[in-house]
Amino acid sequence: MRSRRMMLFCGFVVAGVSLLNAGNQAPRAAGPITLFEGARLIVGDGSASIESSAFVVQNDRFTTIGRKGQVQPPAGAVRVDLGGKSVMPALVDAHVHLGYRKGLSFTADNYTRETLLDTLDRFAYYGVAAVLEAGTGRGDLPFQVRNEARSGARYLTAGRGFAMPNAGPGVPMRDAAYGVTTEAEARKYVEKLAAKRPDLIKIWVDDRNRTVEKLKPNLYRAIIDEAHKHRLRVMAHIANLDDAKDLLRAGIDGFSHVVRDRDIDEELLAMLEQRRHVFFTETLWSERRAIYGSKPAWIDEPILTATFSAEELRQLADSFAPAVPEESQASARRLLRNVGKLNAAGVKLGLGTDTGGVSGGQYFGLASQMELELLVKAGLTPAQAITAATRNSAEILGLDQLGTVAAGKSADFIVLDANPLDDIANARRISNVYLRGIELNRAGLKARWAPSQTR
Ligand SMILES: [Zn+2]
């Protein structure tokens, strides 16, 4: 079922094969062919980069990947010289919350089509090709936007997640989740949601420092079991080591955060060793204040002024100003340690930021980029961070057309002015972004946002 849905979702870019394509766009037998030459090519799977590459994009796909001088341009191909540049796959952010934050406002009233589309453009500007709305979707709108043929970042959704009543995501997103109290109710809602084919199912297993009731083990077992019957995977919001272990026993497929209450132990690593498909998104961005400790230099990078107003940037800068209590700094260090341990154990790490949620703020796109840098702080090499953010995240979301630069994949890539393997900060030195083989009009987006940037 998942693969059928993915065909529908991705189908509009595959000429002539999809239902979505029928009636509004003629199939293209042949189309523009471009040979990109000379860039350092980072494939996205952790393999050695190709120092002077050549690759062909036809319509929306990569068709040939190789070395400059060895790839013959097809007849009629346009040549693009990328000498001195670096190319990497576009990013995939597998944990965001869209529709609530718009500039400085944070309310469910913002949850409109216009907000969703504008936010997806903001992700695209920073080189993000796809995002997953992690369980705070409202009504049918996210599913409608997901299935539309359009430019910008792809939008995947978990629809409404699951928690005890009034105990899921933070306000103002709280009412988006299903509140469940019995196994029968849990199964009924999973069945209802499954009819819409969400890309994952999200559950919250967290008492938020004893302020809400944590989802009970018998209820999450019912949700996971029912989801699996519908061939849907379940991703859990957690904070605690013990909950992570019990969720693994219950058959959980992934975690939207890393264990935060204690150091990860050998028992957890052994359980994960037995379950190699289980993934984590780390959401280090949410802990940025404690991790950085003081105002980071990247606040002054020009890319930020393209997408955020002066007031948003002032607030972001100020958020780093008051000294973070030692206790928070210690827990941030533990979080980084835990991410490092998972990475060293070969656990599947994807990129997820929680942008748009309570702790993630409205820094759409920027946060996905900064998460790369934070993963490197946790001990990943730049190449590992890039693989997590590209191939792994695409795998987590079942996006088999994204994640690496390889023949047959969708041509979604970022052209950089400097090598991100030397310094992950170079992943933000974006020259161009291509989504589905088309260069994103970043100057146009910047101009569209400019009037509101002066507030
Ligand atoms: Zn979240």
Side-chain angles (χ1 to χ4, degrees):
M1 281 303 284
R2 189 159 59 90
S3 61
R4 189 188 65 87
R5 225 278 306 145
M6 289 318 305
M7 239 185 73
L8 280 176
F9 173 64
C10 294
F12 61 85
V13 294
V14 184
V17 299
S18 85
L19 297 175
L20 282 173
N21 209 22
N24 60 25
Q25 199 181 335
R28 288 178 296 177
I33 307 174
T34 309
L35 174 67
F36 294 89
E37 282 185 314
R40 170 182 300 102
L41 177 62
I42 298 161
V43 172
D45 61 0
S47 62
S49 52
I50 302 173
E51 288 308 308
S52 180
S53 71
F55 56 94
V56 176
V57 172
Q58 182 161 8
N59 292 323
D60 55 347
R61 304 267 147 178
F62 296 111
T63 57
T64 313
I65 317 289
R67 289 178 197 286
K68 185 178 174 182
Q70 293 175 356
V71 173
Q72 294 308 312
V78 174
R79 280 173 188 259
V80 174
D81 178 15
L82 294 183
K85 307 283 186 187
S86 294
V87 165
M88 61 179 272
L91 306 175
V92 175
D93 192 329
H95 183 166
V96 302
H97 300 280
L98 270 67
Y100 297 84
R101 289 192 182 268
K102 185 177 169 185
L104 294 167
S105 85
F106 188 25
T107 161
D109 293 341
N110 286 334
Y111 206 94
T112 64
R113 197 186 135 75
E114 183 195 13
T115 307
L116 295 181
L117 295 184
D118 181 68
T119 304
L120 292 168
D121 284 340
R122 289 171 184 273
F123 277 110
Y125 188 85
Y126 283 88
V128 180
V131 298
L132 174 77
E133 156 87 273
T136 48
R138 301 182 85 81
D140 285 328
L141 184 62
F143 295 94
Q144 288 164 7
V145 172
R146 177 183 71 177
N147 292 343
E148 282 171 15
R150 52 174 174 73
S151 61
R154 294 162 178 80
Y155 178 59
L156 279 72
T157 182
R160 303 177 62 182
F162 294 78
M164 301 303 284
N166 200 31
V171 177
M173 310 183 293
R174 184 147 288 179
D175 64 338
Y178 289 110
V180 294
T181 52
T182 68
E183 292 175 32
E185 202 176 29
R187 288 183 186 274
K188 184 184 77 182
Y189 286 137
V190 171
E191 186 159 24
K192 194 174 169 188
L193 179 61
K196 299 183 183 188
R197 302 313 301 167
D199 297 282
L200 277 170
I201 283 184
K202 171 77 179 286
I203 60 176
W204 280 266
V205 183
D206 187 358
D207 66 9
R208 311 256 184 203
N209 294 321
R210 301 181 187 174
T211 59
V212 298
E213 194 180 2
K214 193 189 289 186
L215 187 63
K216 291 177 178 152
N218 69 310
L219 297 178
Y220 60 67
R221 280 183 164 76
I223 293 166
I224 293 167
D225 181 62
E226 192 66 30
H228 287 175
K229 280 183 187 163
H230 287 88
R231 293 169 177 255
L232 292 166
R233 292 167 304 146
V234 184
M235 167 167 93
H237 165 114
I238 48 142
N240 297 348
L241 179 63
D242 289 342
D243 292 325
K245 289 178 183 173
D246 193 58
L247 282 157
L248 286 168
R249 286 183 206 106
I252 197 76
D253 300 286
F255 296 97
S256 56
H257 304 279
V258 170
V259 169
R260 291 169 278 177
D261 67 326
R262 285 153 61 189
D263 278 273
I264 284 174
D265 62 10
E266 290 304 320
E267 185 186 15
L268 184 80
L269 293 176
M271 293 177 84
L272 291 167
E273 174 75 39
Q274 299 299 316
R275 299 165 175 84
R276 302 303 298 205
H277 63 285
V278 171
F279 64 85
F280 288 80
T281 70
E282 298 75 45
T283 61
L284 299 175
W285 169 253
S286 294
E287 307 298 328
R288 58 194 175 277
R289 286 185 57 224
I291 295 173
Y292 283 107
S294 59
K295 193 179 107 171
W298 52 255
I299 295 263
D300 298 319
E301 289 179 12
I303 192 171
L304 277 70
T305 54
T307 55
F308 304 110
S309 68
E311 179 57 20
E312 286 175 290
L313 293 177
R314 190 188 66 76
Q315 289 190 12
L316 181 62
D318 285 357
S319 74
F320 290 99
V324 178
E326 170 49 32
E327 192 187 336
S328 305
Q329 290 185 41
S331 69
R333 287 194 295 271
R334 184 175 56 220
L335 175 61
L336 292 176
R337 248 186 344 259
N338 282 345
V339 172
K341 274 191 188 179
L342 293 173
N343 181 56
V347 174
K348 185 184 282 189
L349 302 181
L351 182 109
T353 54
D354 231 343
T355 320
V358 174
S359 55
Q362 76 280 25
Y363 302 101
F364 301 109
L366 170 70
S368 313
Q369 280 285 347
M370 298 320 308
E371 187 77 14
L372 282 173
E373 179 164 313
L374 293 165
L375 287 170
V376 170
K377 281 187 185 293
L380 278 71
T381 65
Q384 287 173 330
I386 289 170
T387 301
T390 58
R391 183 194 66 185
N392 292 3
S393 281
E395 277 178 12
I396 288 166
L397 299 188
L399 290 169
D400 55 6
Q401 296 306 316
L402 287 181
T404 58
V405 176
K409 298 258 186 187
S410 184
D412 291 53
F413 59 98
I414 312 174
V415 180
L416 301 169
D417 290 329
N419 184 2
L421 300 177
D422 289 343
D423 180 351
I424 198 64
N426 290 338
R428 307 191 288 274
R429 293 181 58 186
I430 299 172
S431 171
N432 306 82
V433 173
Y434 287 79
L435 298 178
R436 305 179 187 86
I438 297 168
E439 185 185 339
L440 186 73
N441 181 2
R442 295 177 81 239
L445 288 172
K446 193 175 164 182
R448 191 174 97 199
W449 293 322
S452 59
Q453 305 316 55
T454 50
R455 283 178 315 212

